[in-house]
Amino acid sequence: MSSTRVTVVAAVAVTLPSLWLIKRAIRRWIEFTSTAMDELPALGTSPPTNRKKHGTVVICGGSLTGLMCARVCSDHFERIIVVEPETWSLSPEACIESGVTGLREISKDGVMYNCMAHKRSRVFQHTFGHAYQAFVLLALRKLFRNFDERALARGAKIGPAHTNTYIDGHRITEPAGYGDKGEFLPETLVATRRTYEALLRSLVHEHCPQVEYVNGTVTELDTHNISVTGVNVRLVGDNGAMVKYQCDLVIDATGIAQAGLKLLSRTFTPYSKSAKLVNIREEYDPQVNYVTIEIEPPSTFRANLARIQKQHAIPGPDLDKRIYLEGYNPTGSYDNHGIWTAWVDGNRLNFIAGGWDSWMPLNIDQLRTYAEELEVRVSRPLPKWWWDVMDLLEPVKDTSTCVEGKIRSCSRVRYNTVPGMLPHNFIALGDSVMRLNPRGGQGVIKLTIGAATLDGILRRMPEGPRSPSFSRKFFQLLADRTDGIWELTRDLDYGWHTTKPCKGHTLETGSFYRWYFSGLAYLASYDRYAGKVFFAAGHCIGPSFDLFAPSILLKVVWNALVGRK
């Protein structure tokens, strides 16, 4: 063999493995930066040194985000203090029950309906249905060793993550299995907010007895150089007495109040820095109206479901064993009506209906009318069996409850864009960083990714919040993993003409992504690979980058050129 051939063979032998390694490295980087899946193996375990960090964490807010932060921090810090302004949520009762006190009869536009009254006065979504993607359940199982048992005992449902979803009238195909060999489908959780919060609160109290709870509100941060040294808390009761806590890490979990930004803006000097901090918040108004209608079916309901499934030859799991029965999700391209149907809290059916500038059905009869309007607007109607289910509810329709919701503000605080201006031991997550349109059901997944990201940062940085780069690295990785959720939700909201966009945007902003998402949804209605990628990205167990893989991108463009079937 000539020397030239030897050189070529040697070059190929060296290059091919190198290219494979480079491709694999790039893939691993994409997966790490765009999902929190790499954080799961260590989540809920002892820190690498088996020793907790000396110091105190103050968590501002004791709702879902604050509770998840308390659980994560309990693996890493000696002292955790949760400051929560609502008195009832800190009571032992809040760990045991949902806080529902009865029903209130409400009259609106000549229609009478029942609404659940509850003690959770600071959370308007307390009795709403909630969605939980597969990643949420994976994380909860790591954080709480007996999660499934406790969740099922509360009436929550756990099962394969079939969403049975239509997008603009196209039913999204779902993988029979997911994984390297496609041998399993991840499971998901369904429960109302009231059930999930009581469950989470009780689990945190049991697993983290060292966590301290203070009934009050953080009013001011004490800072020195580039760190927060303490927080000032106004206590509830005691004539509004003030108390100060020294801290090594402060976490803003105040939700939609986004108090951390306000506290930082008041603390910093000169005023030019304060003004710049205020400008990192962007906001738009999606003009979304929606309701949750909840009802307990009659005793013969489940038996009749089996008959309906057989009659209509409905494939897949039994209707009474599904997590989500059916969902129709509009993109704004030609409709603003959405309807989702799921089992919640034992034997109760939950209907969520609404959309951009949508009227809100208040009872079962109006829900029928709402669905009929949807059928007129879209190219493919709701399945016949869905109407049979509605017929089965007729004998008990007057027992339904309804809760109205109006979303007039979605916002994002871009902390990652001002790393040099933030204390290195201040972070924020959940709604404190990003408030999304709830129609996407992404509130809990967003805060769960944030909690997992915090855990991972603490494990990879032995200095923890004492490191000058702690806050910067956390906010950048959090943005890498969640900004795509914000941008897609925002751009889809811009597709409906009543949305009031962010400052500097028009409703044309994001038009390419709306076009692509519509084409992708159509492709995923018949292409199994596209459906699998769509499923993984939607459940945050696979990178959304895969949605733009060449094979998928080319098919979306081809369908646009030749027309849809």
Side-chain angles (χ1 to χ4, degrees), residues 106-306:
I106 297 177
S107 176
K108 181 180 180 181
D109 299 330
V111 176
M112 300 294 295
Y113 69 95
N114 293 319
C115 178
M116 291 185 191
H118 60 87
K119 299 177 182 178
R120 196 72 166 93
S121 58
R122 300 176 69 91
V123 179
F124 88 94
Q125 287 184 315
H126 188 62
T127 56
F128 278 68
H130 269 38
Y132 310 87
Q133 288 76 6
F135 181 83
V136 173
L137 184 57
L138 291 172
L140 290 169
R141 285 170 168 170
K142 294 291 293 184
L143 291 169
F144 306 105
R145 57 185 176 274
N146 58 343
F147 181 81
D148 284 27
E149 176 187 346
R150 296 293 299 277
L152 294 172
R154 297 260 182 165
K157 282 190 166 290
I158 294 175
H162 295 287
T163 54
N164 304 301
T165 298
Y166 289 78
I167 296 180
D168 277 353
H170 304 294
R171 185 181 180 85
I172 305 301
T173 60
E174 295 178 323
Y178 187 85
D180 292 338
K181 297 181 181 179
E183 71 277 9
F184 70 96
L185 190 70
E187 292 185 313
T188 190
L189 166 77
V190 169
T192 58
R193 163 69 185 252
R194 63 184 183 272
T195 295
Y196 177 66
E197 182 171 336
L199 169 64
L200 182 61
R201 195 175 298 281
S202 67
L203 289 171
V204 171
H205 276 257
E206 292 172 16
H207 283 72
C208 318
Q210 76 274 32
V211 174
E212 304 169 39
Y213 297 89
V214 176
N215 192 191
T217 302
V218 175
T219 60
E220 189 177 354
L221 303 178
D222 292 337
T223 60
H224 178 70
N225 292 332
I226 57 170
S227 67
V228 178
T229 58
V231 299
N232 295 278
V233 178
R234 186 182 301 280
L235 300 177
V236 173
D238 294 332
N239 296 316
M242 298 293 297
V243 63
K244 180 179 292 188
Y245 295 97
Q246 301 300 313
C247 66
D248 299 273
L249 172 63
V250 61
I251 301 176
D252 178 13
T254 57
I256 62 175
Q258 297 176 343
L261 181 62
K262 300 166 188 173
L263 293 169
L264 290 175
S265 299
R266 289 202 300 265
T267 300
F268 274 115
T269 57
Y271 292 110
S272 59
K273 285 190 175 182
S274 176
K276 188 172 182 180
L277 275 176
V278 172
N279 290 334
I280 66 174
R281 183 178 185 271
E282 59 180 334
E283 179 182 23
Y284 72 94
D285 179 359
Q287 293 280 312
V288 163
N289 306 318
Y290 73 115
V291 297
T292 282
I293 295 176
E294 200 173 307
I295 189 169
E296 184 165 350
S299 58
T300 58
F301 185 77
R302 288 181 179 271
N304 283 321
L305 276 182

